Amino acid sequence: MKVWIALDGVGHPLDAPGGSAWEQALPTLRPLVDRGAALDATLGVPGQPQSGTGQSCWLTGQDAVRVMGEHFGPHPGPTLQRLLAQHSLPVQLVQAGARVALANHYAPAFFEAQRRRSRLGCFPFSIQAARLPLNPPGLPLVPASLGLDYRAPWLAHTMSLSDVSALGTALGGAARAWDLLILDLWFSDLLGHAGRDPTPVEVMRAARTYLCRVDALIEGLLSSGAEVVLSSDHGNMENLLIKAHTLARVPLAASWTDVRGPLHVVHGGQWLKTWMGLPGTAEF
């Protein structure tokens, strides 16, 4: 019963400014993050970390920034696609005989957009590279917005907080039939890009609401007995005074143990492979 929650664009609270969305009651999420590690996402390369290279580091355990020669994203181009198709966690797990699924819900509009112009993010690309379907049958699928509207002012219309917790419980129960379920929660990066100084009230409200819903989702997962890992690819939503990505460190947290040893996002990807029983290149 293993679930990996991959946040997009959420820096570690240790590197967040005062008054950030992290500063609220998050009774499940915050203790989890505080027991984990704060990992460097820059890898010593100038510029703002990006989702394409950052997520590729997590998915492969390799330095995708060095492969590209720069931070690159948001979508993986041909170079990163080759890296993901050979070394990503879903591909290698399927080759080892494991059952893996991306538990995101993709609406019909997503598939229509892909037919017009294919621009898959790293997670759906890796799933398809492993010859696995999007919207896998038999799973309670999770919308990346966790029930918030996709446009400003991002109000919660489709799911209550208790609905999100119940969805987490259902997903954790379904995870018994799988070796790994993955959630690509990219909506936080969308909210982060709405930031500016002064931060609009509706942006901060949406960011705080989103973290509350991540908290509820994890609470539901843990109530089902699932092992949960939480990560993020780069900073953004932790600092809503700007709309760009940040140089903040990012979390790596595990529900069953303190995380010690990994220093940066490449280590984080190697740690994930070790967790899943795949050969790694680092010892922690």
Side-chain angles (χ1 to χ4, degrees):
M1 296 175 60
K2 294 182 176 181
V3 180
W4 173 21
I5 298 178
L7 298 176
D8 189 337
V10 183
H12 198 281
L14 290 175
D15 292 347
S20 79
W22 281 112
E23 294 186 7
Q24 59 175 317
L26 299 166
T28 303
L29 176 60
R30 188 59 191 266
L32 177 68
V33 170
D34 289 345
R35 291 202 322 272
L39 306 189
D40 171 55
T42 70
L43 298 172
V45 175
Q48 298 167 343
Q50 301 293 326
S51 294
T53 41
Q55 292 174 9
S56 293
C57 290
W58 280 105
L59 281 159
T60 67
Q62 298 196 24
D63 191 341
V65 179
R66 186 173 300 277
V67 169
M68 288 298 299
E70 61 180 346
H71 298 290
F72 180 85
H75 304 98
T79 300
L80 291 180
Q81 287 178 359
R82 286 192 294 270
L83 182 70
L84 292 166
Q86 183 174 0
H87 297 290
S88 70
L89 187 62
V91 168
Q92 293 192 343
L93 285 173
V94 168
Q95 289 173 347
R99 295 198 69 203
V100 183
L102 181 63
N104 282 56
H105 173 260
Y106 291 95
F110 170 84
F111 296 101
E112 293 169 8
Q114 292 302 312
R115 282 192 289 271
R116 291 193 299 270
R117 182 185 182 189
S118 181
R119 298 187 71 197
L120 290 174
C122 291
F123 284 94
F125 177 86
S126 296
I127 287 294
Q128 292 198 334
R131 302 186 181 279
L132 298 172
L134 301 180
N135 286 351
L139 280 175
L141 300 177
V142 179
S145 70
L146 299 181
L148 300 187
D149 285 343
Y150 282 90
R151 293 180 177 85
W154 308 284
L155 299 176
H157 281 156
T158 60
M159 300 171 66
S160 69
L161 200 60
S162 60
D163 290 335
V164 176
S165 178
L167 181 57
T169 302
L171 187 65
R176 294 183 178 92
W178 301 79
D179 296 293
L180 178 65
L181 297 181
I182 303 171
L183 282 175
D184 173 22
L185 296 188
W186 51 263
F187 196 71
S188 40
D189 195 52
L190 182 150
L191 294 175
H193 284 302
R196 59 182 182 271
D197 188 8
T199 304
V201 172
E202 64 270 19
V203 176
M204 180 59 74
R205 180 187 62 223
R208 291 170 63 88
T209 299
Y210 194 70
L211 286 186
C212 282
R213 285 167 176 257
V214 173
D215 182 89
L217 182 73
I218 295 174
E219 186 276 329
L221 284 165
L222 296 181
S223 72
S224 73
E227 286 186 6
V228 177
V229 167
L230 181 82
S231 69
S232 180
D233 53 355
H234 56 74
N236 189 357
M237 198 184 78
E238 85 290 345
N239 186 352
L240 291 172
L241 294 171
I242 57 175
K243 68 179 299 175
H245 294 176
T246 72
L247 305 182
R249 292 171 293 172
V250 295
L252 168 60
S255 61
W256 70 95
T257 187
D258 296 350
V259 177
R260 299 290 181 267
L263 301 177
H264 49 65
V265 292
V266 177
H267 285 167
Q270 294 167 0
W271 187 95
L272 286 171
K273 288 194 173 184
T274 300
W275 173 49
M276 291 305 304
L278 293 172
T281 58
E283 295 182 2
F284 305 113

